[in-house]
Amino acid sequence: MPNVPLLDRFGRVATDLRVSLTDRCNLRCTYCMPAEGLAWMPQPQQLTDDEVIRLVRIAVEWLGVTEVRFTGGEPLIRRGLVGIVAAAAALAPRPKLSVTTNGIGLDRTAVALRDAGLDRVNVSLDTLDPARFHQLTLRDRHADVLSGLRAAAAAGLTPVKINTVLMRGVNDDEAPALLRFALDNGYQLRFIEQMPLDAQHQWDRHEMVTAEEILAALEPFGLQPDDVSRGTAPAETWLVPGYQDAAGEPARVGVIASVTRPFCGDCDRTRLTADGQVRNCLFSTTESDLRKLLRDGAPDSKIAEAWRVAMWGKLAGHGIDDPKFLQPARPMSAIGG
Ligand code: SAM
């Protein structure tokens, strides 16, 4: 079959697919969704496991996708996750496979996921303090996240990366402690600037903890510039002198400065929501419906073409700084973070 990549008008090629497997989550991170949760996607609207697998196959075989990251919502609560990973791992050429998770339940599933073909995990952890964890997520699951991290490392789902969002006045004093924790345990920490993607629409640029502030807080570590090219990776990385990661490589810390230092010009992502909509950007206000094509019996070629058209329309940048910026209707949890 013709393998024609996902090109856009600015010459970018999308090879990294983020697949949301559910919009539901077992945490209520205050910067993401309200305490009462959201109006969840009705089951019939959600892609079945077979539909997800078909779209991932089309992405790999027809569109040149080389990396697939499963996310959500919380992907570990999707019952078919292990089977979906196994099917993706059986594709040729085999894509790199990872999961972004809050880590709850990973202690029970890490080995099965590895055996199915998962390469890596990103685990979200915003605090080392169980009481703060409760304040931030409204759930008492801190110990579960820590045991999920340990299980992922033990299963070889490495490098285990930790994603951290700092919130002013809540956990913004924890950057050094979180980095030390990551270094001591062989995890790779990445701080993510808070983005205007919360369901509550309470994001405030002036309240956001910036990359500059994070780097200032990490000054005692004497971070050094990282010579390794960043390529299309969202994180800018720094070397942490005196530390090595689990593989014996120099330890690194990353900052994903999506707001203050956008990297849209290098973006190589394409996104699929749990209900089969392609999004060409996290911040896109439009989507392209692949589920309808699937359920109407369209052949692979037609679905692949619709996906290419969706990506061709990708804008040059997310436009957060544009006075006309409009937050997308779907929150992060429903897009897939
Ligand atoms: N439930 C999984 C998890 O916790 O990793 C996957 C989905 S979650 C939406 C993915 C990542 O997005 C998490 O690291 C979370 O902290 C982050 N996140 C959620 N809302 C965000 C926001 N408004 N700005 C920046 N990051 C956000």
Side-chain angles (χ1 to χ4, degrees):
M1 65 227 52
N3 189 322
V4 180
L6 292 168
L7 184 67
D8 68 40
R9 283 171 296 165
F10 302 93
R12 294 167 298 191
V13 177
T15 54
D16 183 348
L17 168 62
R18 306 284 158 111
V19 182
S20 173
L21 292 177
T22 175
D23 60 339
R24 295 171 194 234
C25 193
N26 41 9
L27 295 182
R28 294 288 178 273
C29 299
T30 49
Y31 54 81
C32 190
M33 69 169 73
E36 65 278 14
L38 295 164
W40 309 123
M41 187 182 289
Q43 195 70 20
Q45 285 182 23
Q46 189 173 285
L47 296 182
T48 64
D49 292 358
D50 285 345
E51 287 172 331
V52 171
I53 291 166
R54 180 166 175 216
L55 289 180
V56 171
R57 181 179 58 71
I58 291 172
V60 170
E61 291 181 352
W62 290 75
L63 302 169
V65 160
T66 57
E67 285 195 56
V68 182
R69 165 96 52 96
F70 297 104
T71 180
E74 176 43 48
L76 292 192
I77 63 180
R78 171 105 185 201
R79 243 183 247 132
L81 176 64
V82 171
I84 291 171
V85 168
L91 294 172
R94 183 196 187 288
K96 286 191 217 152
L97 298 172
S98 58
V99 165
T100 296
T101 169
N102 60 32
I104 297 170
L106 197 52
D107 52 354
R108 293 189 304 277
T109 49
V111 169
L113 286 167
R114 179 209 56 206
D115 290 348
L118 192 72
D119 297 309
R120 271 203 333 94
V121 290
N122 282 11
V123 176
S124 303
L125 176 67
D126 299 331
T127 177
L128 297 174
D129 175 20
R132 266 193 192 173
F133 185 88
H134 184 272
Q135 186 191 353
L136 266 162
T137 67
L138 310 186
R139 299 288 185 271
D140 279 321
R141 308 299 298 268
H142 192 248
D144 298 297
V145 179
L146 297 188
S147 65
L149 275 166
R150 285 192 295 270
L157 294 171
T158 52
V160 174
K161 295 188 182 174
I162 296 180
N163 289 345
T164 297
V165 177
L166 294 179
M167 303 286 293
R168 196 171 300 285
V170 180
N171 62 340
D172 57 337
D173 57 345
E174 280 199 69
L178 280 159
L179 179 54
R180 200 164 302 283
F181 167 79
L183 294 167
D184 288 345
N185 290 282
Y187 308 136
Q188 202 180 109
L189 180 63
R190 298 138 30 109
F191 293 96
I192 309 177
E193 281 182 345
Q194 192 196 357
M195 296 177 278
L197 287 169
D198 55 315
Q200 304 92 312
H201 289 237
Q202 279 167 1
W203 181 84
D204 175 354
R205 198 183 211 293
H206 306 290
E207 276 300 301
M208 184 196 76
V209 179
T210 63
E212 201 181 336
E213 290 175 86
I214 295 164
L215 290 168
L218 299 180
E219 226 161 64
F221 289 87
L223 302 185
Q224 297 294 317
D226 186 357
D227 288 340
V228 173
S229 153
R230 172 185 181 177
T232 56
E236 277 182 84
T237 53
W238 282 264
L239 299 174
V240 193
Y243 287 91
Q244 293 189 329
D245 68 13
E249 294 285 312
R252 292 181 161 84
V253 60
V255 179
I256 303 182
S258 323
V259 179
T260 61
R261 302 181 195 173
F263 37 86
C264 304
D266 292 319
C267 180
D268 67 348
R269 278 163 215 56
T270 179
R271 294 174 183 275
L272 187 63
T273 63
D275 54 353
Q277 311 298 304
V278 167
R279 299 178 62 91
N280 56 28
C281 171
L282 253 183
F283 295 94
S284 158
T285 51
T286 58
E287 301 181 336
S288 303
D289 190 358
L290 297 189
R291 185 189 60 196
K292 179 162 183 357
L293 289 174
L294 274 177
R295 293 188 179 172
D296 286 350
D300 289 358
S301 57
K302 192 163 171 198
I303 293 171
E305 192 46 34
W307 203 325
R308 283 190 201 103
V309 170
M311 294 308 294
W312 182 253
K314 181 168 173 149
L315 299 179
H318 58 41
I320 293 176
D321 283 328
D322 188 325
K324 293 198 289 288
F325 172 75
L326 268 186
Q327 185 170 334
R330 289 205 208 220
M332 178 83 132
S333 57
I335 296 171

